[in-house]
Amino acid sequence: MRIPSAILTLIAGMALVLLGQWVANDVNWLPVSASTNAPVYDELFRVLLAIGTMLLVGMTGVVVYSLIRFRRRDGDQKDGPPVEGNLSLELFWTAIPAVVVLFLGIYSYDIYDRMGGMTDLNAHGMDHHVAELASVRQSQPGDEERIWGGIAPASGNEAVLPVEVTALQFAFVFHYPEQNITSGELHVPTGQAVELRLKANDVIHAFWVPEFRIKQDVIPGQPTVLTFTANRIGDYPIVCAELCGPYHGGMRSHVVVDEPESFATWVETNTPATLS
């Protein structure tokens, strides 16, 4: 007894769904999670990975099946059947991708919003530390400064550590305005929100910490905010992820995540002495 093609299609679809779920949830594709942003981002990554696995395996299977099932046999010199179209199939392969793309767009927007990416950084109701950044003036007197984008703090009630980040060919320079510390590496405590105030001195750069799941373009003349909260002690690479010149591959630094007590010791050790 021949199994109907609809049943075979249903079984193949269920197998693809199970395979996609297994790859997304049981195969570790990402580096260690070291910030509160990471689990939110990882949700989206797992969804994209599951859908991508199903599409890759499904389409590859169809191609391999077609190559075997419809191959030219020895001695067969006839033309193929004159297939002109299949309305049901065309509707199916148009509707399904449209639904998937719409779902991913809405879900991505939700993830970005939960990370703080949709916050109006120039609104009157923004919290004090962002307002302080927005009060800085451009090089032209009288011009109003605006924050062009980035990730804002999830809550306006938490204490935020501000750090000014300057990107230039080919280094990141970190300045702690409250402590007057300038460093070639970023030091942050666990459990406290850190607000990076990013600017570029020359060309477009990108600030990327894979373990934090954050990446932000840094564009000349466009001040940008990037906020994260580290939750895992360690030393993690900072990479420029935008081609910025001949030594782009060497534009790297690192972020050191310490316990609050160790971070306080680092701050005390590196704060410049004041002259009386």
Side-chain angles (χ1 to χ4, degrees):
M1 179 179 177
R2 184 177 181 181
I3 302 176
S5 59
I7 300 298
L8 292 175
T9 302
L10 178 61
I11 294 174
M14 295 174 60
L16 287 174
V17 171
L18 293 175
L19 176 63
Q21 290 297 315
W22 174 76
V23 171
N25 295 310
D26 295 338
V27 180
N28 185 18
W29 295 83
L30 294 170
V32 64
S33 170
S35 79
T36 56
N37 285 11
V40 180
Y41 169 87
D42 292 352
E43 289 180 23
L44 177 61
F45 180 83
R46 284 192 292 269
V47 171
L48 292 172
L49 184 58
I51 294 175
T53 299
M54 289 185 287
L55 291 175
L56 174 63
V57 175
M59 290 188 293
T60 302
V62 170
V63 170
V64 171
Y65 170 80
S66 300
L67 288 174
I68 298 174
R69 173 67 176 81
F70 303 107
R71 70 187 187 280
R72 183 179 67 84
R73 267 65 174 182
D74 292 338
D76 185 2
Q77 301 297 328
K78 297 181 296 184
D79 292 336
V83 178
E84 296 184 359
N86 187 317
L87 181 60
S88 299
L89 181 60
E90 292 170 2
L91 289 175
F92 176 80
W93 74 39
T94 301
I96 296 300
V99 172
V100 170
V101 170
L102 180 62
F103 164 75
L104 291 178
I106 296 174
Y107 189 43
S108 300
Y109 179 93
D110 176 65
I111 293 292
Y112 192 53
D113 183 44
R114 287 159 58 187
M115 292 177 67
M118 302 308 299
T119 302
D120 185 358
L121 300 175
N122 296 286
H124 295 293
M126 59 186 174
D127 46 358
H128 173 71
H129 59 279
V130 178
E132 179 183 331
L133 177 58
S135 67
V136 180
R137 298 294 172 180
Q138 292 178 345
S139 58
Q140 297 296 326
D143 289 347
E144 183 179 355
E145 175 75 327
R146 62 169 296 204
I147 308 304
W148 285 79
I151 303 293
S155 172
N157 300 323
E158 56 186 331
V160 176
L161 173 67
V163 182
E164 297 170 351
V165 182
T166 301
L168 67 161
Q169 294 174 315
F170 295 94
F172 291 105
V173 179
F174 304 96
H175 178 69
Y176 297 75
E178 295 179 353
Q179 298 82 10
N180 193 28
I181 298 174
T182 300
S183 174
E185 60 187 26
L186 179 62
H187 285 253
V188 300
T190 58
Q192 181 179 7
V194 178
E195 180 189 84
L196 303 181
R197 305 172 178 182
L198 302 155
K199 69 173 183 178
N201 279 4
D202 35 45
V203 299
I204 299 177
H205 301 275
F207 184 92
W208 179 36
V209 183
E211 287 78 7
F212 292 173
R213 314 293 195 265
I214 55 173
K215 185 173 83 71
Q216 177 63 54
D217 285 349
V218 191
I219 302 174
Q222 298 187 5
T224 306
V225 172
L226 183 61
T227 304
F228 66 89
T229 301
N231 59 9
R232 188 186 187 99
I233 297 173
D235 191 323
Y236 307 107
I238 300 174
V239 182
C240 178
E242 191 78 34
L243 180 61
C244 58
Y247 198 59
H248 160 72
M251 185 171 173
R252 291 173 176 264
S253 183
H254 58 110
V255 51
V256 179
V257 182
D258 291 320
E259 292 285 1
E261 296 80 9
S262 300
F263 175 74
T265 301
W266 179 84
V267 170
E268 182 179 358
T269 303
N270 290 274
T271 300
T274 56
L275 298 177
S276 57

